[in-house]
Amino acid sequence: MARDVLITGATGTLGHRVVGEATEAGHHVRALSRKSHVGYTGVHWAQGDLLSGEGIDAALDGIDTVIHCATQGTRGKDVVSADNLISAARRAKTANIVYVSIVGIDRIPLPYYTAKLRVEEALTASGLGHTITRITQFHDLIETTFSIQRFSPALFTVKGVRFQPIDTRDVATHLVSLIDRGPAGRVDDIGGPAVFAHDELARMYLTSRGSRRRVLTLPLPGGIVAGLRSGANLVPANPVGTIGFAQYLARST
């Protein structure tokens, strides 16, 4: 069934994938951006700013489902943006807000994760129809943590830490599949197709670049690393998608 869908963060790493996937699935897609845009066959662009609230009421007019992919990248701004979205959705009588969250945010003490948890709590308390889906780290993020070390003589990884990275194309497919389910509250967490040690991912990265640099694994202290070592960021029982990290790297090189 075709629905009227607003996608926030429509130009972002995940959002632009969701725009394409939802359009291909036959939904009537409205893409939200702070800047004026044209393009994407079948997509209508709405200009608005979640942080200030400007343009959000107009963007939500006639919308059945929101897929909230936007993130401000800082603790306070994400919460403010979500509060503005929730208020506007209440006025528009939007049926369902699908929120993209992260696996382990209640067990790994990153400030960004704390903000994501606060958004989850705000949605749960809002009385609005909503769906919360927690997802493991994207391939893009893992690749970025390695690429920023490109001038280092070795690639540094963290001892005892594992990741279950997932491709944004697989995440987009998952999010669009949630549209027809309607408000479902907290749904099952999902992760990528396989779990790897941090140093294994580093070796895949170097192989894809034809690099002979060494991989150095370091023991690091702190609550964040302890949370990662505990496996709080993993969902081994619910792997989703078909694009592994090595396949992602092959496509991105």
Side-chain angles (χ1 to χ4, degrees):
M1 175 181 174
R3 296 184 184 272
D4 296 304
V5 180
L6 176 71
I7 298 167
T8 72
T11 61
T13 299
L14 175 61
H16 85 280
R17 299 282 188 196
V18 181
V19 167
E21 187 76 18
T23 302
E24 189 173 331
H27 296 293
H28 307 136
V29 175
R30 189 177 299 166
L32 181 67
S33 174
R34 288 192 298 268
K35 299 180 179 179
S36 178
H37 286 271
V38 293
Y40 289 93
T41 302
V43 176
H44 300 281
W45 285 89
Q47 188 172 359
D49 188 336
L50 285 167
L51 192 57
S52 69
E54 183 179 358
I56 305 306
D57 284 320
L60 281 167
D61 184 35
I63 291 296
D64 173 80
T65 302
V66 176
I67 301 181
H68 186 31
C69 300
T71 181
Q72 303 289 341
T74 58
R75 180 174 178 171
K77 290 182 178 181
D78 259 2
V79 177
V80 171
S81 294
D83 286 342
N84 287 335
L85 178 63
I86 289 168
S87 296
R90 185 177 289 113
R91 291 189 292 271
K93 296 181 171 54
T94 303
N96 187 18
I97 298 176
V98 179
Y99 180 53
V100 184
S101 193
I102 305 172
V103 171
I105 58 173
D106 51 348
R107 297 171 57 194
I108 302 170
L110 272 168
Y112 178 59
Y113 283 17
T114 301
K116 300 289 279 188
L117 186 59
R118 286 180 61 191
V119 173
E120 286 189 9
E121 292 167 348
L123 274 172
T124 301
S126 70
L128 295 175
H130 64 275
T131 303
I132 296 170
T133 178
R134 291 184 181 180
I135 299 167
T136 56
Q137 285 71 34
F138 298 161
H139 293 322
D140 309 66
L141 176 63
I142 302 297
E143 180 187 24
T144 297
T145 65
F146 295 144
S147 66
I148 61 176
Q149 300 183 57
R150 59 188 175 276
F151 298 119
S152 171
L155 199 57
F156 294 95
T157 62
V158 184
K159 185 176 182 180
V161 168
R162 297 169 296 154
F163 292 97
Q164 189 180 351
I166 190 167
D167 196 89
T168 52
R169 285 158 284 204
D170 289 328
V171 175
T173 299
H174 170 68
L175 292 173
V176 171
S177 76
L178 296 174
I179 294 173
D180 288 333
R181 290 178 58 178
R186 169 86 181 274
V187 298
D188 290 342
D189 298 355
I190 67 166
V195 176
F196 295 101
H198 198 195
D199 61 325
E200 291 178 301
L201 293 166
R203 290 187 181 91
M204 290 182 199
Y205 173 81
L206 291 177
T207 297
S208 74
R209 265 68 181 164
S211 173
R212 295 186 178 181
R213 282 193 297 161
R214 292 184 302 158
V215 174
L216 294 181
T217 302
L218 304 175
L220 295 179
I224 293 171
V225 173
L228 292 171
R229 278 199 303 265
S230 75
N233 61 317
L234 307 175
V235 195
N238 198 20
V240 168
T242 60
I243 304 169
F245 189 59
Q247 291 169 290
Y248 161 80
L249 290 170
R251 293 184 181 194
S252 64
T253 53

